[in-house]
């Protein structure tokens, strides 16, 4: 069956069509020169915790290996996702389509697997393709010669993987997820057909909730007091109801047992069953005796000290923030090490020059901004995602670009580099024109975002919106279906230049009529041209 025929045609906004002319014809004759692709995607890695992005947090916990890719390559300062959640982002990556086009609107609801995945097109063009780590979609990996994927979200310790060798069964392996995923990635590189170009997707589990560090880093950063973001105490004044009704605060949502690992509270007051004791118990039960011993050596005394202090109010909140940030950054340290290990392998094999290495995350994450963890909202910390590309043959070292890019652009970029025609239905555009560091005059001037996963964990309401270089319009909508949620139809407008933390909703304020009308037109145009059927 010709899968291309099953794709529904859409009319693209003019701003998205401009770069379509960069797509080349037919696979290149000379396969040797066709670039390899190593795409590294972590799960929930904030740009605030990559030192190349320069945020204060990351200066205390640097990421030298990821930074190296940025220093020798291109760093995208305005990279965004289309729908800030795992499976939707993965579907955007594989198809180059928006969520409503590829079917993966929500975390649990399925991808339309009749859509073409870029991996299939690369395979047809002679690439050897592989995916390792978190796959997380409800269809089997499609278009891959090699896969070694985690079950569902995957586990940090001794996770289950399935591959062709395990006959499709998930088999538990001893070790730490970040290391094992890198092991399997290198295994693929070792055993691949060296006459072919390759495309390897390395999808890490870390640093997803509940942020379990590897044994060697359980004590890392323990003596550091990390600064809190300026918006830690946001009271959401001026905002529509969703910022008030979400369930993702460090203060109230984050649990002392599951998230912050104070297992000792299990049988002691003030035990609260909502702290998800079972979640942590299951994670600890998976450990080998030696892993568990190392774990307890690190946490037990600290936890007893914490319980003994009986902290309340601001002191308790600060303790929670410090434990959260430290565990998260410890997971990042392992990621950075393993990125370094993969780079070292590529260097040893002489593959650095002819390989595009991408570092990104499936979305951004809140490191306490607005008092939150998790993602989902169209506010900057979760809408934005880190994006770094390294490809010495085509990318100038140390380039930083501010052009608006989105995760639907990755598939078109890979196809373009491989010399494969982009299916005209694909909504994203190749990022190749940005590789020199300049923004072409016809580059897109705005981006569309749409979040659908409500009712769901963390209670973030549905919304869509549009963002330009300077302004953002968000429309929250839909029936209230959880707790005391009301039906809503509410807008927010931000001037990101004057108010980068998005504290001052300007919608309906005098003096902003013109920009509001312009953004509203842009949003309406997206909905119409992309045939968005829900908002
Ligand atoms: C799990 C997490 C949530 C998280 C979602 C989606 N809870 O449900 O906190 O928002 O995954 O994350 S947990 O108790 O299971 O850790 S995503 O990255 O896969 O989109
Ligand atoms: Ca994620």
């Amino acid at each position: 069956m010709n899968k291309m025929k099953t794709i529904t045609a859409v009319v693209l906004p003019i701003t998205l069509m401009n770069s379509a002319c960069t797509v080349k014809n037919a696979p290149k004759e000379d396969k040797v020169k066709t670039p390899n692709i190593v795409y590294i995607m972590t799960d929930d890695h904030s740009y605030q915790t990559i030192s190349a992005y320069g945020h204060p947090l990351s200066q205390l916990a640097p990421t030298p290996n990821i930074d190296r890719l940025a220093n020798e390559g291109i760093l995208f300062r305005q990279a965004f996702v289309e729908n800030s959640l795992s499976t939707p982002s993965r579907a955007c990556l594989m198809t180059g389509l928006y969520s409503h086009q590829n079917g993966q609107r929500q975390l649990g609801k399925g991808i339309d697997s009749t859509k073409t995945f870029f991996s299939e097109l690369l395979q047809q063009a002679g690439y050897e393709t592989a995916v390792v780590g978190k796959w997380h979609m409800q269809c089997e990996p499609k278009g891959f010669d090699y896969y070694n994927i985690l079950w569902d979200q995957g586990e940090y310790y001794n996770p289950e993987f399935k591959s062709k060798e395990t006959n499709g069964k998930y088999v538990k392996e001893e070790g730490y997820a970040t290391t094992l995923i890198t092991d399997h990635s290198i295994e693929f590189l070792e055993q691949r057909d060296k006459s072919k170009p390759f495309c390897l997707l390395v999808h890490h589990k870390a640093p997803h909730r509940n942020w379990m560090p590897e044994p060697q880093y359980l004590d890392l950063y323990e003596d550091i007091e990390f600064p809190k973001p300026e918006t830690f105490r946001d009271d959401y004044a001026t905002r529509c109801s969703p910022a008030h009704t979400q369930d993702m605060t460090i203060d109230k949502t984050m649990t002392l047992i599951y998230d912050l690992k104070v297992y000792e509270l299990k049988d002691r007051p003030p035990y609260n069953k909502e702290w998800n004791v079972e979640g942590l118990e299951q994670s600890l039960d998976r450990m080998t005796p030696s892993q568990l011993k190392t774990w307890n050596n690190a946490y037990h005394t600290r936890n007893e000290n914490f319980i003994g202090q009986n902290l309340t109010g601001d002191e308790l909140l600060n303790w929670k923030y410090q434990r959260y940030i430290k565990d998260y950054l410890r997971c990042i340290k392992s990621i950075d090490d393993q990125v370094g290990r993969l780079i070292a392998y590529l260097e040893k094999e002489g593959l650095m020059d002819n390989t595009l290495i991408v570092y990104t995350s499936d979305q951004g994450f809140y490191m306490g901004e607005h008092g939150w963890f998790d993602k989902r909202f169209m506010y900057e910390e979760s809408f934005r995602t880190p994006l770094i590309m390294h490809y010495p043959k085509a990318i100038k070292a140390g380039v930083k670009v501010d052009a608006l890019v989105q995760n639907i652009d990755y598939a078109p970029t890979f196809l373009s580099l491989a010399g494969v025609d982009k299916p005209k239905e694909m909504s994203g555009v190749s990022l190749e024109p940005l590789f020199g560091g300049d923004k072409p005059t016809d580059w897109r001037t705005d981006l569309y975002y749409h979040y659908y996963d409500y009712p769901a964990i963390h209670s973030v309401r549905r919304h869509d919106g549009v963002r330009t270089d300077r302004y953002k319009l968000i429309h929250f909508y839909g029936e209230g279906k959880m707790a005391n949620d009301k039906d809503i139809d509410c807008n927010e407008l931000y001037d990101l230049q004057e108010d980068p933390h998005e504290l001052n909703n300007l919608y309906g304020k005098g003096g902003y009529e013109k920009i509001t009308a312009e953004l509203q037109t842009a949003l309406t145009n997206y909905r119409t041209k992309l045939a968005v059927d829900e908002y």
Side-chain angles (χ1 to χ4, degrees):
M1 185 181 70
N2 181 352
K3 296 204 170 66
M4 311 305 298
K5 287 187 180 149
T6 64
I7 297 180
T8 316
V10 294
V11 185
L12 295 176
I14 286 173
T15 49
L16 292 182
M17 287 179 70
N18 287 338
S19 308
C21 56
T22 60
V23 174
K24 304 174 198 90
N25 291 322
K28 282 174 188 149
E29 295 281 294
D30 186 354
K31 288 285 191 298
V32 181
K33 294 217 174 92
T34 307
N36 306 303
I37 298 164
V38 173
Y39 173 88
I40 307 168
M41 179 166 69
T42 34
D43 191 359
D44 295 357
H45 192 180
S46 54
Y47 57 83
Q48 303 93 301
T49 54
I50 293 177
S51 31
Y53 277 92
H55 189 278
L57 262 189
S58 63
Q59 303 313 306
L60 293 167
T63 50
N65 294 299
I66 300 173
D67 289 5
R68 176 184 162 185
L69 295 176
N71 294 337
E72 296 174 4
I74 189 168
L75 179 132
F76 292 87
R77 285 196 285 226
Q78 307 269 36
F80 298 87
V81 294
E82 187 257 330
N83 180 358
S84 182
L85 206 55
S86 168
T87 37
S89 277
R90 285 156 214 275
C92 287
L93 160 71
M94 294 314 301
T95 63
L97 295 169
Y98 291 96
S99 303
H100 69 285
Q101 298 172 327
N102 64 41
Q104 190 80 47
R105 292 174 168 86
Q106 290 163 284
L107 192 66
K109 285 206 186 135
I111 177 86
D112 175 355
S113 58
T114 65
K115 300 295 182 195
T116 301
F117 286 10
F118 79 85
S119 48
E120 297 174 277
L121 300 175
L122 288 185
Q123 221 177 19
Q124 285 160 22
Y127 270 73
E128 191 159 343
T129 56
V131 57
V132 179
K134 182 168 167 177
W135 173 249
H136 204 204
M137 287 193 291
Q138 287 82 23
C139 65
E140 292 299 307
K142 197 165 66 118
F144 292 101
D145 298 292
Y146 174 99
Y147 65 85
N148 212 329
I149 54 168
L150 291 169
W151 177 78
D152 194 51
Q153 296 272 13
E155 300 285 344
Y156 277 104
Y157 278 79
N158 311 326
E160 283 84 7
F161 286 90
K162 85 171 176 184
S163 65
K164 287 184 182 161
E165 284 71 42
T166 67
N167 295 319
K169 285 206 178 74
Y170 286 99
V171 176
K172 190 169 174 175
E173 289 185 35
E174 188 174 325
Y176 186 69
T178 309
T179 315
L180 291 170
I181 289 166
T182 311
D183 291 348
H184 292 312
S185 299
I186 293 175
E187 269 158 40
F188 161 73
L189 293 173
E190 286 276 290
Q191 66 180 48
R192 74 186 204 278
D193 176 349
K194 296 202 169 130
S195 69
K196 289 179 163 186
F198 64 85
C199 173
L200 164 65
L201 311 184
V202 184
H203 289 187
H204 283 288
K205 185 242 170 7
H208 191 271
R209 192 180 183 190
N210 63 339
W211 319 292
M212 294 179 73
E214 78 171 294
Q216 71 180 105
Y217 290 133
L218 292 169
D219 295 325
L220 189 69
Y221 309 132
E222 193 51 26
D223 298 331
I224 298 180
E225 174 87 4
F226 285 93
K228 291 191 205 60
E230 281 176 45
T231 59
F232 190 65
R233 306 241 167 231
D234 192 358
D235 62 4
Y236 319 121
T238 83
R239 259 63 57 81
C240 296
S241 64
H244 302 256
T245 59
Q246 46 63 38
D247 181 18
M248 47 191 262
T249 63
I250 295 173
D251 189 12
K252 297 202 169 65
T253 315
M254 195 173 269
T255 68
L256 280 173
I257 295 183
Y258 174 66
D259 290 312
L260 300 172
K261 296 119 189 156
V262 192
Y263 190 67
E264 292 75 359
L265 282 172
K266 181 180 172 243
D267 304 311
R268 312 238 286 265
Y271 169 69
N272 179 338
K273 73 177 167 45
E274 287 178 4
W275 291 351
N276 192 3
V277 61
E278 293 82 12
L280 183 60
E281 203 156 54
Q282 280 158 15
S283 302
L284 300 180
D285 279 354
R286 311 178 54 82
M287 290 184 177
T288 64
S290 133
Q291 288 167 343
L292 190 59
K293 190 164 171 229
T294 311
W295 182 273
N296 285 331
N297 281 345
Y299 285 103
H300 185 63
T301 310
R302 288 182 221 156
N303 289 350
E304 288 294 345
N305 286 341
F306 163 70
I307 293 169
Q309 288 176 69
N310 238 328
L311 301 177
T312 54
D314 279 355
E315 283 183 335
L316 175 60
L317 185 55
N318 183 49
W319 185 90
K320 289 172 91 173
Y321 174 75
Q322 295 299 331
R323 170 70 57 103
Y324 161 51
I325 294 294
K326 285 174 194 180
D327 281 348
Y328 183 99
L329 289 169
R330 289 164 180 149
C331 292
I332 299 302
K333 176 70 178 155
S334 301
I335 290 281
D336 190 67
D337 284 357
Q338 295 301 320
V339 167
R341 189 174 151 222
L342 203 51
I343 294 174
Y345 178 86
L346 295 170
E347 255 173 346
K348 176 171 79 66
E349 296 295 310
L351 290 166
M352 284 298 273
D353 272 358
N354 197 40
T355 300
L356 167 75
I357 306 174
V358 180
Y359 186 86
T360 190
S361 169
D362 64 342
Q363 9 68 205
F365 210 70
Y366 294 97
M367 312 306 308
E369 295 87 357
H370 308 290
W372 297 337
F373 66 104
D374 212 64
K375 49 262 179 176
R376 298 162 192 267
F377 278 108
M378 197 192 169
Y379 303 127
E380 290 294 276
E381 292 83 359
S382 46
F383 180 28
R384 263 178 80 184
T385 192
L387 180 65
I388 293 165
M389 293 190 181
H390 181 281
Y391 179 36
K393 272 193 181 164
I395 294 175
K396 267 204 327 216
V399 169
K400 292 181 169 58
V401 277
D402 287 322
L404 297 170
V405 308
Q406 210 163 15
N407 55 350
I408 51 170
D409 299 332
Y410 304 162
T413 306
F414 302 155
L415 294 175
S416 165
L417 284 172
V420 176
D421 274 339
K422 180 183 88 155
K424 62 178 180 313
E425 298 82 1
M426 237 177 220
S427 293
V429 297
S430 170
L431 301 178
E432 249 189 303
L434 303 173
F435 282 3
D438 298 321
K439 181 164 79 170
T441 49
D442 61 353
W443 194 254
R444 62 158 74 91
T445 54
D446 49 42
L447 292 173
Y448 181 67
Y449 180 84
H450 203 149
Y451 173 80
Y452 305 81
D453 202 15
Y454 174 89
I457 184 169
H458 299 306
S459 308
V460 174
R461 303 298 297 266
R462 295 180 190 202
H463 56 289
D464 72 348
V466 70
R467 187 201 193 278
T468 67
D469 273 339
R470 177 162 179 184
Y471 293 98
K472 186 187 289 183
L473 177 68
I474 313 178
H475 175 238
F476 291 96
Y477 68 91
E479 281 173 41
K481 295 185 176 168
M482 297 177 77
N484 299 318
D485 287 351
K486 303 208 165 39
D487 296 357
I488 50 168
D489 177 3
C490 188
N491 294 288
E492 294 181 2
L493 171 73
Y494 296 101
D495 178 347
L496 300 164
Q497 195 174 295
E498 296 299 318
D499 176 28
H501 300 308
E502 301 165 289
L503 298 174
N504 190 13
N505 175 16
L506 299 169
Y507 192 86
K509 292 224 168 120
Y512 294 92
E513 295 80 1
K514 186 164 171 282
I515 186 65
T516 305
E518 279 170 24
L519 289 171
Q520 189 58 61
T521 302
L523 184 53
T524 307
N525 286 345
Y526 268 113
R527 290 168 178 170
T528 309
K529 289 176 177 163
L530 294 172
V532 182
D533 50 9
E534 178 187 11
Y535 48 84

